[in-house]
Amino acid sequence: MKIGIGLPTSLEGTAGEDVVGWAVQAEAAGFSTLGTIDRLLHTSWEPLTTLAAAAAVTERIGLATSILISPLRSNTALLAKQAATVDRLSGGRLTLGLAVGSRPDDFEAGRIEKTGRGARTGTQVAELRRHWADAQAGREPAVGPAPVRQNGPELILGGHSPAALRRAARLGDGWIGGGTGPMMFAQGAQSLRELWTEEGREGAPRLVALAYFALGGDATKHTEGYLRSYYRDAGPFVEHILRGAADSAGKLRGIVGKYAEAGCDELLLMPCSRDLDQVTAAAEVLGLRG
């Protein structure tokens, strides 16, 4: 299983130099991918803009929106251009993770209708691929630039509902589970594999997950503070998220092991602290090599 790490762009007070330093350090430490999460009404940074900056200071590490709320980007042609631009900037390192979003206030702020967002996401996936194919084939007029990767950036779709899993099996290159813990991930992954077969898809879907972490003497304070803020409108669900967060070296190793047992292809460790030492601490705990 590959181990990636999230950029600290949803943490209060993060500066540009923090993100750049984090990206450089993560590549040097041996992490597989840099991830970003997405909200509109939050201090979190815009994912594709952030990954463009990370692309400029790295050479090998993957870049992933994990996830990006695609219905909030109602101009799909512009989204195709933005994603293809990051893909070219990075030499084909972009994975575009998409999900429908669930927070009503994000849709209210964006003046986007929340109802029907699942169907719209399916339409967006088809449109993204059409724009990328036209650009790569040199058809005119086309929304460019052409992505580096054949057929465009890898597309993985998120969500745990039956409809979301079916959409991922039908339209995606794989599925990404949120930070809900190894057990819920294992259940979703098994359903996704079965649906993948039902849809007549060849090969195997790529399975990705998120896990929250912080290390060091103030780890519990950081996980509690950040997750209670980020999930403040999620009701009792925040307690489930907190139980699954790794706030010690032993718990981090245990969670990583459980995701590996569940068949996860890549686990992205999302930080609850923006301290740059978190990158090297996590790499050392997991025995990564640059």
Side-chain angles (χ1 to χ4, degrees):
M1 182 177 70
K2 294 180 179 179
I3 305 292
I5 193 167
L7 288 163
T9 49
S10 59
L11 294 162
E12 187 72 36
T14 297
E17 61 188 22
D18 299 326
V19 174
V20 169
W22 193 284
V24 171
Q25 187 66 43
E27 181 169 73
F31 287 99
S32 57
T33 298
L34 293 165
T36 57
I37 56 178
D38 192 22
R39 282 290 310 275
L40 190 54
L41 284 182
H42 193 266
T43 58
S44 53
W45 298 17
E46 199 287 315
L48 287 170
T49 310
T50 300
L51 294 179
V57 295
T58 58
E59 297 179 352
R60 304 178 306 280
I61 195 167
L63 309 169
T65 58
S66 55
I67 51 67
L68 180 144
I69 305 171
S70 62
L72 294 178
R73 280 80 174 174
S74 56
N75 186 334
T76 307
L78 179 57
L79 176 58
K81 178 180 283 288
Q82 291 168 328
T85 299
V86 176
D87 193 63
R88 290 203 71 85
L89 280 170
S90 65
R93 290 184 277 146
L94 178 66
T95 292
L96 193 62
L98 304 177
V100 302
S102 62
R103 315 291 183 91
D105 55 355
D106 280 343
F107 288 86
E108 291 167 6
R111 299 184 180 182
I112 301 292
E113 179 64 46
K114 186 171 180 281
T115 303
R117 66 196 186 284
R120 295 200 306 274
T121 297
T123 300
Q124 283 185 297
V125 169
E127 187 176 341
L128 286 168
R129 287 190 162 135
R130 176 174 59 80
H131 285 307
W132 295 334
D134 286 348
Q136 288 182 324
R139 286 187 279 270
E140 295 291 346
V143 174
V148 174
R149 184 177 182 269
Q150 187 63 32
N151 301 319
E154 180 182 51
L155 274 171
I156 54 175
L157 304 183
H160 285 264
S161 71
L165 289 165
R166 174 68 72 178
R167 187 164 48 247
R170 187 177 71 252
L171 302 174
D173 298 312
W175 173 69
I176 181 167
T180 55
M183 184 177 296
M184 287 186 67
F185 172 81
Q187 294 168 350
Q190 181 58 35
S191 296
L192 192 282
R193 293 186 192 99
E194 293 170 359
L195 291 168
W196 188 272
T197 301
E198 285 182 20
E199 293 289 338
R201 303 290 301 274
E202 296 181 356
R206 184 155 176 263
L207 302 174
V208 183
L210 308 182
Y212 292 103
F213 86 99
L215 296 170
D218 293 327
T220 302
K221 182 183 77 172
H222 286 304
T223 55
E224 284 266 352
Y226 168 65
L227 293 174
R228 288 197 185 280
S229 172
Y230 191 78
Y231 289 99
R232 63 183 175 272
D233 54 354
F237 184 64
V238 70
E239 302 301 330
H240 174 79
I241 293 289
L242 278 166
R243 285 193 297 272
D247 56 4
S248 69
K251 192 170 183 181
L252 179 58
R253 282 190 289 263
I255 287 173
V256 168
K258 289 177 182 177
Y259 273 106
E261 292 171 4
C264 184
D265 294 312
E266 184 171 34
L267 179 63
L268 302 177
L269 303 176
M270 309 306 290
C272 297
S273 167
R274 59 184 173 86
D275 188 336
L276 186 58
D277 288 346
Q278 295 290 305
V279 178
T280 52
E284 289 174 1
V285 167
L286 300 175
L288 300 184
R289 298 290 183 270

